Amino acid sequence: MSDTKYPLNNKFERVSDLTHTIASFLEWAEQQKGLSLCEPYKPQYPWYMPIHTSKEQLLLEFFGIDLAALEREKRQMVGEYVKAA
């Protein structure tokens, strides 16, 4: 498989172990230490609310991977595999 043909899939594979480790740490911190990822309620208030974005989505965003584009690449890969079979 060409790195340039499926760049997001290649990038996802390169960071997969790291994202799993970070997600496991965040899950541990939440369950064992009661910590939550939060965002400001409103800029003018000093209150914070737990984020609603999944940890996995945050990690993909951090690593510059668009989930919808990654899914399109995967569908393209499957389609090419089916054609070749």
Side-chain angles (χ1 to χ4, degrees):
M1 170 178 23
S2 169
D3 289 354
T4 57
K5 190 168 186 178
Y6 303 112
L8 290 177
N9 188 65
N10 183 267
K11 188 175 195 178
F12 180 75
E13 287 178 6
R14 284 194 324 264
V15 301
S16 183
D17 288 341
L18 184 56
T19 58
H20 178 72
T21 300
I22 295 169
S24 293
F25 168 75
L26 292 173
E27 193 69 31
W28 172 84
E30 188 173 68
Q31 292 177 356
Q32 299 297 318
K33 301 297 180 180
L35 300 177
S36 296
L37 294 176
C38 296
E39 60 188 354
Y41 171 67
K42 290 186 178 179
Q44 67 269 31
Y45 299 112
W47 308 327
Y48 290 86
M49 303 287 294
I51 62 167
H52 298 289
T53 306
S54 72
K55 293 170 190 73
E56 292 77 15
Q57 183 62 39
L58 285 173
L59 288 166
L60 289 175
E61 184 179 332
F62 175 76
F63 286 109
I65 299 172
D66 180 308
L67 184 58
L70 179 64
E71 289 300 322
R72 283 192 299 273
E73 273 190 12
K74 288 185 179 204
R75 283 193 300 274
Q76 181 183 1
M77 289 169 56
V78 169
E80 290 179 10
Y81 178 77
V82 169
K83 284 181 188 176

